[in-house]
Amino acid sequence: MDRRTFLKTAAGAAVTGSLSTPALSAGAATRALRFVPQANLANFDPIWGTQYVVRNAAALVWDTLYGVDATLNPQRQMVEAEEQSEDGLIWTFRLRPELRFHDGEPVLAKDVVASLTRWSARDPMGLMIKALQNELTTVDDRTFRWVLKKPYPKLLFALGKNNSPCTFVMPERIATTDPFKQISEYVGSGPMRFARNEWVPGAKAVFEKFADYVPRQEPASWLAGGKQMLVDRIEWIVMPDPATAAAALQNGEIDWWENPITDLVPVLRQNRNIEVDIADPLGNIGSFRMNHLFPPFNDVRARRAILMAMSQEDYMRALVGDEGALWRPLPGYFTPGTPLYNEEGGEILKGPRDLEAAKRLLGESGYSGAPVTCLVAQDQPITKAFGDVTADLLKRLGMNVDFKAIDWGTVGARRAQKSPPGQGGWQMFHTWHAGADCINPAPYTALRANGNAAWFGWPDSPQLEAEIASWFVAKSLAEEQAAMRRINKAALDFVVYAPTGFFLLYQAWRKNVSGIVKGPLPFFWGVAKSA
Amino acid sequence: MFGYVVRRIAATIPVMALVALFVFSLLYIAPGDPAAVIAGDQATPADVERIRLSLGLDRPFLIRFGEWFWHILHGDLGTSIFTNLPVTAMIAQRIEPTLSLMAITLVFAVLIAVPAGVLASWKAGSFVDRAIMGFAVVGFSMPVFVVGYLLAYCFALQLAWLPVQGYTPLSAGVRPWFENLILPAVALGCVYIALIARTTRAAMLEVLQQDYIRAARAKGMGEAAILFIHALKNASVPVATVIGIGVALLIGGAVVTESVFAIPGLGRLTVDAILRRDYPVIQGVVLLFSCIYVLLNLVIDLLYTVLDPRIRY
Amino acid sequence: MSVPTISRAPERVAAPPELPDLLPPIRIRRGLIGFLRRYPTIAVGGALLLLLILIAVFAPLLWTVDPTALSPARRTRPPSAQFWFGTDMLGRDIYSRVIYGARISLTVGFCVAILASVVGLVIGLASGFVRWADGLIMRMMDGLMSIPPILLAVALMALTRASVGNVVMAITMAEIPRVSRLVRGVVLSLREQLYVEAAVAAGTRTPMIILRHILPNTLAPMTVQATYICASAMIVEAILSFIGAGTPPTTPSWGNIMAEGRALWQVKPFIVFFPAAFLSITVLAVNLLGDGLRDALDPRLTKRP
C-alpha cells in the first residue's frame, strides 16, 4: 500500500474507533453517597487491625451482638434477648431470627461463638472475660451460652462498645482464622455488602446495600437501634491530599468528608452548600506511643523526660491551628468534660517546659545516642503534624532521630512487630484515641499495662493494672472517682504513653445530605441524599 | 518495506530484554540486602530469611533473571508485599486513567505545538516568533504541579468550568471523561508542547532555507500549502523523533499530575508504593512504562517510512 | 595577474551616484560586552543564575533564621514585615526555608550535571575508541534510556533511604546515557578526520589524541547538554521531593516546601507560590543559558537576523 492510502485509513480508523459508547444515566451517581475517609482502607480485618478506618468500614459490613447508643449504654443489636443467672456466672443469649450473612446463609450460634473466640483473643476486655471463662458454647442454632468463673458486670458493654475491636459476627469458617493473621474473605452480616471486585486499595472502596438485612425496630442511635440504610451505594474515595478533597467537596464531587483539616474549614464554611460541624464533642486524645521493650523508652526516666520537655500546645497548634476552642491541654489520660475526668499527678505536663532538666533526666536513664526509630504516617494529617513536632522535640533533647516517613497502613502493620529497632522494630509512633474510648478504663485499650498482652508498646506495670482492677470492682461513683484519680497518677508516674493533648475535629458535608450525626465514628444509617 | 518493519521490530526485542535486565538489576545494584528491601519495613528477621530463600540468592544471577523474565512473559509481575494482590491485577485496575491522560495529552500537545512551531518558523525573528518561543521556554521551566495547581485554581475553583479532581471512566460517557482530563492534560502537556514547538521551529527553519521551497514560492504556491505540504513533511522526521522521546516526559509527569488531580491511575499507585516501599509494584510499573515507551518509539520509527520515503534501514 | 586598482571611474563612464547605505553599518563589538550583547540569552540566564548562586552561598547572611526552627503558635501567617514570605504549617519562616532550599536545588543540579557529564564522557570515549565494546555499550545505554528518568529515579530512591546524595546518584544514572551518546557521536565523527588519522599514523598515543583533539571538540556540545541536564535535574528533584521520594522531610528543599504546603494552597497559596517561583526562575535561567550557549557555540545553526 502506498503512503497516501496508509495515512487515510489510519485517520479513518482513529475517528470511528472511539466515540460510540453511550453515556450512562446520571441517576446512578446521585444515589451513591461519596465519602472521603480519614485514611486509606489498606486491609479489612477489624480484629487483626484495630485502626479506626478499618473499624469504620467494618461497621458497615458486619453487625455486632450489642451496640452502644449515644449515652454509651449497650443495647441489643443481633441479640434478641439475654438472660443472666442469679450468681451472674451464666449468660444465655438468643439471636434474632432473621439474621443472614451476605452469602445467604443464616447467622447461627456457632458463627457467633467462633467470632467471639477470635475477638476475645485480641480485645483487652475480651481477654479479661476469657481469663474468667469456663466455657462458651452453643445451646441450639439461635442460642449460645457463656459460663464464667467469676461475675463480669461489664460483659454487655464489652460486647457492644464501639472501641476497636468490636464483636463483629462473621461466618464460622472465616472466624476460625488465627486472630494474628488477616482474613481473606469478607462475608458480612451487616447492612452493606463490600463490593470486593470494585475495591482499589489506595483509591476506592465500594459498599452496596444488602437487601436481606433486617434492621431493628427502634430508632438508630450510634451502634444501637435499627440500621436503616437510605442509600443504595456508598463509595469511599481515598484522598490523601486535603486540598483536593476540599475542592471536590466544594464542587459537589464528593458528599461527606470525614476529617477536613482545620485550615480549610473557613473556606468550606463560606460555601453555601456545605455544612461544617464538630465531628464528636467527646473529642480525641493525641498519643506519643512509646515502645517499652527497648531503649531508650524502656526506662521510666526517659519517658518522664519526654513529658517534661514536650509542649502540648505545640502539638495541638500544629494540628488545629489558631482556633483555641478546638483544643485544650491534657494533664492526664481521660476525656475532659466527663464525670470521671481528673488531673491527678499531671503537674509534670503543666507550667513552663524545662528542657535542661529533661536532658539531664534523659542522660540519667543512660541514653547512649543510638538512633530512635519514629514511625510517622504522612498520609494522615494528625500523625503528620505530630510527627514533625516530635522530630523537633527529640532533636532538641539531643536524641538521634531516625524519622521513618511512611503511610498509615504500614504503621499499622509495623507497630505490631516486637523485634528490636534496626531489625524491623520501632521506638515510637503517633496515633490518637477517640474521646469515647477514653472515658474510663473499660474500653481504654491503650491504657492497659499488662505487658505482652497490652496494646502496641507493651507497657508493663503491675501497679497500674492493680489500680485499674480496683476501678472494675468499684461499687459507687465516689469509689470510681477515687480509683480513677489513682489510675491517672499511676499512669503518669509510669508514663504508659505521652498524651499530646485533647483536640476536637470537624466533619463536613453537602447540604443535600441529611441524617449525619455527631459521634466517635461516621454512622451511615439514616443518612439520605436528596438530588 | 515489509523487511524493514520486521527488522525494526526485531531490533526492539534486545532493547526490551535489556530494559528488563536493568529493572531486575536495580534491586541488586542498590546498597543493602535485596531480601530486606523486598520483605519491606514491616518484616521480621524470619520474614526476611523466607524471602531470601524464595529469591534464591544462592543461585547464579542469570538463572534468577531468566526465571523472573519467564514469569514476566507470562504476565506475572510478582505480588505486592503490601496488599498481597498480584501486581498485574493492581496495574490492570489503574491503567485506564493513566493511558487516557497520556493519550489526550499527546494528541492535544501535537495539535497545539506543531502549528505553533510552524508559525514561529514562518515568522522567524518577528514578535510572534519571540512570543511563541518565550512561552515555550517558560513552559519548559515551570514544574508540572505548579501549572496544575494554577489551572485548578483558575478554571475549576474560581470559574467552575471544569471539575477539580477525579476521573470518570470512558464507559460512563465521553463528555465527563473528557472534562475530567482537560486540566490535567494541559498541565502535563506544557513541557511537552514547549519541547515539540522548539524542535518544530528549528527543523522548519532548516527546511525553509532549502532551494525547493524558494522554487515552490516562485511557482506561485500559497504560503499555507508550502508550509504544510512541502516544509512540514520534510521537517517531520526530527519532529516525530522528539514526539517519541518526549513521551518519557509524559510518563514522568503523569506521576505528579495524578497526585494533584486525584486521578486513580498508575502514577498514584507508584506514589503510594514509594511511601510504603512496596518494591514489586514499583518494579512492575517501571517495566510496564518502559515497554510502552519502547513500543511507542517503535511506532514512530515505523512511521518514518511513511513520512519520509527516503528512509529505509 | 595583478589585481586591478581602480580608485576612480574612468572619465568616459558616468560616475556612479553616491547612494546612501541601505543598512546601517554593523559594528562588531569585541570582548565580553560584545559577546553578551550578541547573545542576550546568555546574559540574562547567566546573570540570574549567578544571582541565585550568590543567594545560596551567602544564605546565612541574608537575614535568615534557622529554617528548621518550628513554632506552631505562629503557623501559616501571611507575608509580613517580620516573615517576608510568611510561615508554614509548623511556624517555620518560609523565606529562610526558600533561601536554604536554594542550596539543595542548586547543589543537586550542579552535581548531577557534572557527574553525568564526567561519567558519560568516559563511557562515550570508551564506546568510540574501543570498537568491540561499542555495540554492547550503546545497547546498554539504549536500554537505560528507555526507562523514563523519573521512574528510574523513583525506583532507585525506593531502594535506599532519603538523602541528598542518593537523590543525586539516582538522577545522575538517568542522565548518563544522553551524554555518552553525544560524546560517542563526536568521537566517531572525529575519528574519520584527516588530522586525527595523521596523528595516529604519526604514532601519537590514544590518551594524547583524546586530550588534544577529541576533548576540545566535545567541550562545546557537552557544556550545552550539561546546562539542560542541570535544569532537568532540578525539576526532577522537586518532583521527587513533592511525591515524598526525594530529600528527607527534615531538609528544606523547594520540592519539600511545596509538598508540605500543597494541602493549603487554596487558603494560603504563598506557601507553594514562593518556592515555585524560585524554582521556575532558576530553571528558566539555566534553560536560557543553555539556549544561548547552544547558539553561541554551535557553528552549524544559522544566526537570527
Side-chain angles (χ1 to χ4, degrees), chain A residues 476-499:
Chain A
S476 68
L477 184 60
E479 271 190 38
E480 283 192 32
Q481 284 172 330
M484 290 287 281
R485 279 196 289 276
R486 289 197 302 273
I487 295 173
N488 207 48
K489 179 159 190 347
L492 276 172
D493 286 342
F494 174 70
V495 194
V496 76
Y497 70 85

Side-chain angles (χ1 to χ4, degrees), chain C residues 59-125:
Chain C
L61 301 176
L62 290 172
W63 305 280
T64 56
V65 299
D66 180 6
T68 56
L70 55 81
S71 158
R74 27 159 235 240
R75 63 195 292 280
T76 64
R77 298 272 176 272
S80 63
Q82 187 189 4
F83 301 111
W84 293 352
F85 289 175
T87 58
D88 68 358
M89 300 71 45
L90 290 173
R92 295 176 293 207
D93 178 27
I94 295 181
Y95 171 69
S96 307
R97 284 176 76 75
V98 169
I99 299 294
Y100 276 90
R103 289 186 165 182
I104 303 286
S105 299
L106 287 173
T107 307
V108 170
F110 287 142
C111 285
V112 169
I114 293 175
L115 264 177
S117 298
V118 168
V119 177
L121 179 68
V122 169
I123 295 182
L125 286 174

Side-chain angles (χ1 to χ4, degrees), chain B residues 278-300:
Chain B
D278 192 350
Y279 195 70
V281 171
I282 297 178
Q283 207 177 40
V285 171
V286 174
L287 196 59
L288 176 73
F289 274 132
S290 305
C291 288
I292 292 180
Y293 184 57
V294 170
L295 286 173
L296 217 59
N297 276 292
L298 173 66
V299 167
I300 300 238

Side-chain angles (χ1 to χ4, degrees), chain C residues 118-128 137-138 141 176 180 183-184:
Chain C
V118 168
V119 177
L121 179 68
V122 169
I123 295 182
L125 286 174
S127 180
I137 293 183
M138 273 306 113
M141 291 296 118
I176 287 176
S180 66
V183 172
R184 171 184 177 268

Side-chain angles (χ1 to χ4, degrees), chain A residues 3 6-7 21-23 40 42 199-203 238-241 244 247-248 251 253 406-407 409-410 414 417 423-424, chain B residues 41-45 82-83 85 93-94 149 156-157 162-165 170-173 233 260 262 264 268 275-276 306-307 309:
Chain A
R3 194 161 32 123
F6 177 88
L7 285 172
T21 49
N40 174 35
W199 183 27
V200 183
V238 179
M239 290 194 182
D241 183 11
T244 318
N251 262 22
E253 295 158 29
I406 49 185
D407 70 302
T410 309
R414 192 165 166 180
Q417 305 293 336
Q423 291 178 34
Chain B
D41 265 348
Q42 60 259 38
T44 59
F82 195 75
T83 60
L85 297 169
Q93 258 176 347
R94 310 265 216 146
Y149 277 128
L157 279 180
L162 292 163
V164 75
Q165 59 83 42
L170 191 52
S171 53
K233 265 222 205 96
V260 172
R268 261 191 56 191
L275 201 56
R276 298 198 277 257
V306 169
L307 295 171

Side-chain angles (χ1 to χ4, degrees), chain A residues 413-484:
Chain A
R414 192 165 166 180
R415 66 186 181 178
Q417 305 293 336
K418 285 189 183 170
S419 21
Q423 291 178 34
W426 55 277
Q427 272 127 322
M428 68 80 52
F429 71 90
H430 272 298
T431 182
W432 71 102
H433 306 292
D437 299 343
C438 305
I439 293 188
N440 58 48
Y444 206 157
T445 319
L447 186 67
R448 306 299 297 273
N450 42 353
N452 270 338
W455 206 59
F456 309 111
W458 310 285
D460 194 350
S461 168
Q463 189 203 357
L464 178 57
E465 282 295 295
E467 304 292 3
I468 292 179
S470 77
W471 176 83
F472 271 102
V473 299
K475 302 220 181 15
S476 68
L477 184 60
E479 271 190 38
E480 283 192 32
Q481 284 172 330
M484 290 287 281

